[in-house]
Amino acid sequence: MKHWISLMLLAWSSSLFASEFLQLSGAQCTTPAYLHCPDEDCSTDRIINQGAVVEMGTRRTYFLDYPCDLKAGEPVTLILSLHGGGSYGNWQRHYFPLLDVKDKHRLVIATPNSPTRVWTEVDDGYLQNIVETLVEEIGKANVRAFWLVGHSQGGMTSNRLLRTPFFAERVDGWMSLSGGRLGGSPGVPVGWGPPRTAGTPAPTEKEVADMQARFAAMRAMLNQLPEQPFSFVFTTGEREMDDAGLPVQSLWAQQLGCAERAPLGEVSDTKAGYVYDSARQNPSNPSWGGLPGPGVATVAAYRDCADGRVVADVVRLQKGHTEGLEPNVTERLVQFMTAAPGGKIQKLQ
């Protein structure tokens, strides 16, 4: 009898302990995170996986990472992280590996997938549904801040989204990972883009002109500043900029009333990132990106921005467009996010 009572008490206490923590959108929280890549040579079938969490409005899936010991009522930073054109959600999870620091910084990270691998307006409802569902489950009062994060075309899509009513009234910050610099982007070097495999004809004059027109349109949109204020952090590889490098001025920093940009030192990494563009290494193109490896990044931020907002630039030296971010530079970028003010979602009626 005593043995039976002991078993019942153990089961009750285990159930009580388990119920103490939140389970968001039915996503099982594990350590290491679901479908986490190894330190190198992540398999293709893992990279292209589109996640197990179902967005019920569209029945499309996505990845969801959050602290396994997340408690009800705990404040978190909510992040919607968008992959680049031609990419996948799990590649994005490991390109900017927020899943490795989610516990330390109390992050809830949704990483969706575009079925066409290129984001368009067709995807907006799916993205909005993800955000609304998570806010409801976390509790509006507990979303300390909400950030959009995007790599490449995912960054350009973030720039479009935050000009729409839904995101304009919710976004506290945008982090552009080689996805354009708001208020003045650097130029790109000659030959920027995916390398052409051996035997592929050189681009025609029309193809070159079309690419230049796309870059010009992107740069023009980045100089058309949104009305709603938010923090903005830009990171890029040194090799994906032309010789003029990163502009010193930022129209966005000026609009937020910031003082001049000040250097904040360097971040060094001895460990490589997880992923890279494995399909475009023979031949490779330095501006597009090579194999992952150790790195050094320079960090600078504009001072005294209005309401404590953050505007910062991070340049990864001797890196191109597609080498995954290393752990220490990832940590530094997250520190910018968590230091910036939030609260837009909390104030929604």
Side-chain angles (χ1 to χ4, degrees), residues 59-346:
R59 297 301 194 269
R60 287 165 56 178
T61 60
Y62 64 100
F63 284 94
L64 181 59
D65 297 291
Y66 59 95
C68 294
D69 60 349
L70 182 64
K71 295 183 178 181
E74 181 180 346
V76 298
T77 299
L78 176 62
I79 300 167
L80 185 66
S81 185
L82 304 182
H83 64 70
S87 190
Y88 299 90
N90 207 24
W91 194 92
Q92 172 71 7
R93 285 172 86 215
H94 291 87
Y95 174 81
F96 186 35
L98 296 169
L99 72 174
D100 288 341
V101 294
K102 63 182 176 64
D103 297 326
K104 178 179 179 181
H105 292 286
R106 315 314 283 173
L107 310 178
V108 175
I109 313 123
T111 311
N113 299 271
S114 166
T116 62
R117 298 170 64 195
V118 177
W119 299 105
T120 68
E121 289 85 350
V122 173
D123 303 302
D124 289 5
Y126 161 66
L127 300 177
Q128 292 173 15
N129 291 348
I130 291 172
V131 174
E132 288 188 316
T133 298
L134 290 174
V135 169
E136 182 177 352
E137 292 180 342
I138 296 165
K140 186 172 65 173
N142 305 317
V143 180
R144 189 202 68 81
F146 171 47
W147 278 70
L148 279 175
V149 170
H151 174 239
S152 192
Q153 198 257 341
M156 290 183 273
T157 297
S158 300
N159 184 33
R160 179 184 63 78
L161 288 174
L162 55 81
R163 300 162 192 270
T164 64
F166 179 90
F167 286 96
E169 64 180 2
R170 288 168 172 79
V171 169
D172 295 297
W174 169 28
M175 181 166 290
S176 174
L177 309 171
S178 301
R181 182 175 182 265
L182 188 62
S185 272
V188 296
V190 175
W192 185 92
R196 292 176 178 266
T197 57
T200 303
T204 65
E205 290 185 6
K206 184 180 185 306
E207 288 174 332
V208 171
D210 288 345
M211 184 180 71
Q212 291 173 340
R214 287 195 297 272
F215 277 123
M218 181 190 76
R219 290 166 68 90
M221 187 173 183
L222 288 162
N223 286 331
Q224 297 169 6
L225 304 183
E227 295 181 4
Q228 295 289 339
F230 52 84
S231 295
F232 176 66
V233 179
F234 175 66
T235 183
T236 189
E238 180 185 33
R239 289 173 172 166
E240 52 181 328
M241 298 187 293
D242 62 17
D243 291 340
L246 195 68
V248 174
Q249 302 300 322
S250 164
L251 298 176
W252 187 243
Q254 292 175 19
Q255 181 161 307
L256 294 184
C258 308
E260 71 274 7
R261 190 175 66 190
L264 298 180
E266 294 183 342
V267 176
S268 298
D269 274 283
T270 58
K271 184 178 178 181
Y274 292 105
V275 295
Y276 63 107
D277 190 345
S278 59
R280 295 183 172 92
Q281 296 301 317
N282 187 23
S284 63
N285 179 353
S287 68
W288 185 251
L291 301 176
V296 175
T298 63
V299 182
Y302 292 87
R303 300 185 301 108
D304 303 327
C305 299
D307 300 318
R309 290 190 173 86
V310 171
V311 180
D313 293 317
V314 177
V315 177
R316 301 168 65 211
L317 304 181
Q318 299 183 34
K319 299 290 183 180
H321 190 63
T322 56
E323 299 100 327
L325 276 76
E326 302 80 22
N328 290 339
V329 72
T330 296
E331 172 82 15
R332 186 66 185 92
L333 290 168
V334 173
Q335 288 171 357
F336 279 130
M337 298 170 77
T338 56
K344 282 191 178 179
I345 284 179
Q346 294 173 341

